[in-house]
Amino acid sequence: MKLSLTLAALTLPLAACNQNTAIGNDREAELAPEPLAAPVEDAASALQNVATAIIKPETMSEADIRALGGKNGRCEVILTEVAFPSFIYEPGGKGTIKLNGKLIPLQAAGKSSFASGDLSVRLNLLDEEGNAGSQGMEMIVVPPGAKDEIGYHGYVRCH
């Protein structure tokens, strides 16, 4: 009896393992409606009253991508080769990053650099290739008021 109670207690936390609602995880389509697009806001509004230490790039949904006009003619920074993008940009043009549940448009601020107010993103091609052939990419994010930049290694895909 004691052993079965112990086993039940150990397996109980596993009961919710299939409840991961993060974008890109498999869910039953008839039970989980497609998410709505995140709101589009400038950096100052989107990051107002948010601690700099918790600002991290988020995964865009298909609805987010459609709201931005799709992928055609754009490149996307993905953190794994099978991920949805965290940053979408037009080579030599504008970009958009998802932070704090908001889509934040950024203007070109030099070669492979983008900015909106005190938020900046810089992209650097890496001399590496993923298992699926994607070009390596480093994305450096500097949130407003940050003492340090935050770097992410991922990949770039252009459409």
Side-chain angles (χ1 to χ4, degrees):
M1 176 70 169
K2 197 173 192 180
L3 178 61
S4 57
L5 285 175
T6 302
L7 287 174
L10 290 173
T11 59
L12 189 58
L14 297 176
C17 282
N18 66 348
Q19 302 301 314
N20 188 345
T21 59
I23 293 168
N25 288 307
D26 292 334
R27 296 181 298 224
E28 293 185 55
E30 67 275 3
L31 298 179
E34 184 173 337
L36 299 174
V40 177
E41 292 186 18
D42 63 67
S45 299
L47 302 175
Q48 184 177 21
N49 300 323
V50 178
T52 302
I54 64 169
I55 297 174
K56 308 276 186 279
E58 298 174 28
T59 304
M60 294 180 189
S61 68
E62 287 291 341
D64 294 336
I65 296 165
R66 278 193 305 276
L68 296 173
K71 297 178 184 179
N72 198 21
R74 297 181 174 168
C75 296
E76 55 186 358
V77 176
I78 50 178
L79 299 182
T80 68
E81 286 188 286
V82 295
F84 285 89
S86 296
F87 184 72
I88 291 181
Y89 67 98
E90 299 166 15
K94 300 175 184 179
T96 302
I97 191 166
K98 187 171 182 181
L99 299 172
N100 194 35
K102 312 282 190 318
L103 297 169
I104 303 172
L106 303 159
Q107 300 299 316
K111 187 176 188 233
S112 301
S113 294
F114 306 85
S116 174
D118 291 334
L119 170 68
S120 68
V121 174
R122 189 174 68 246
L123 303 177
N124 300 313
L125 284 175
L126 299 175
D127 191 25
E128 62 184 48
E129 190 175 281
N131 293 333
S134 299
Q135 173 71 48
M137 176 70 81
E138 176 182 54
M139 178 172 64
I140 311 269
V141 179
V142 182
K147 293 179 183 172
D148 296 310
E149 59 191 25
I150 308 165
Y152 299 89
H153 279 206
Y155 304 93
V156 63
R157 257 189 321 228
C158 294
H159 304 275

